[in-house]
């Protein structure tokens, strides 16, 4: 869904950002429920950083109630490595464009299993 025409989006440098999924009421900004980005467990830091910035911006500037980064594949050890990447990215971020406290981290290990919240 493209909300680039809305002033909240256009005026906050979000007009070129298109998350993987959003849950909202079309045509309104009062019911922005969820923004979600999806990444493989072995994603590289630049892609993770982009998604963390996107999720943070939609929470801070567009009024979304929840933001989820869903990672898929891998083991618990892989999730721990992913968390360390996220922590490193956040620590290197000095401009405030990443706030992991606004973002839920979920893991989907494999087909047939439910995703679970794993926290940062």
């Amino acid at each position: 869904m493209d909300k680039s025409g809305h002033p909240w989006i256009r005026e906050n440098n979000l007009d070129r950002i298109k998350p993987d999924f959003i849950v909202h009421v079309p045509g309104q900004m009062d019911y922005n429920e969820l923004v979600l980005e999806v990444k493989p467990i072995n994603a590289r830091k630049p892609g993770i950083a982009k998604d963390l910035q996107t999720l943070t911006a939609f929470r801070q500037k567009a009024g979304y109630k929840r933001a989820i980064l869903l990672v898929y594949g891998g083991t618990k050890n892989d999730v721990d490595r992913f968390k360390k990447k996220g922590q490193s990215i956040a620590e290197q971020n000095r401009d405030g464009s990443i706030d992991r406290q606004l973002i839920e981290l979920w893991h989907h290990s494999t087909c047939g299993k439910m995703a679970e919240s794993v926290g940062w």
Side-chain angles (χ1 to χ4, degrees):
M1 184 59 64
D2 183 359
K3 283 192 169 189
S4 59
H6 195 283
W8 286 6
I9 302 299
R10 189 177 61 248
E11 293 173 1
N12 286 299
N13 298 320
L14 295 173
D15 55 336
R16 289 188 164 86
I17 297 173
K18 303 221 178 6
D20 293 328
F21 297 95
I22 57 176
V23 177
H24 67 136
V25 174
Q28 298 186 28
M29 294 298 282
D30 295 334
Y31 302 101
N32 291 337
E33 298 299 324
L34 171 70
V35 57
L36 181 119
E37 292 282 7
V38 181
K39 278 281 180 260
I41 196 74
N42 61 351
R44 297 177 156 269
K45 280 188 173 184
I48 298 168
K50 180 194 77 66
D51 284 356
L52 292 175
Q53 289 171 335
T54 295
L55 293 168
T56 298
F58 272 77
R59 284 288 318 272
Q60 290 178 336
K61 313 256 170 121
Y64 277 77
K65 295 175 187 162
R66 292 179 67 194
I68 294 176
L69 178 56
L70 174 67
V71 295
Y72 62 89
T75 65
K76 182 184 178 326
N77 288 337
D78 296 321
V79 172
D80 290 341
R81 281 191 288 277
F82 189 94
K83 288 179 185 184
K84 286 180 184 172
K85 281 186 198 177
Q87 180 179 356
S88 172
I89 291 165
E91 288 171 356
Q92 292 171 356
N93 174 269
R94 305 249 187 249
D95 65 2
S97 64
I98 294 174
D99 185 347
R100 288 181 309 145
Q101 293 180 1
L102 298 176
I103 302 165
E104 300 172 37
L105 180 61
W106 284 67
H107 178 235
H108 184 245
S109 61
T110 190
C111 292
K113 293 203 175 185
M114 292 185 62
E116 61 182 356
S117 176
V118 293
W120 289 102

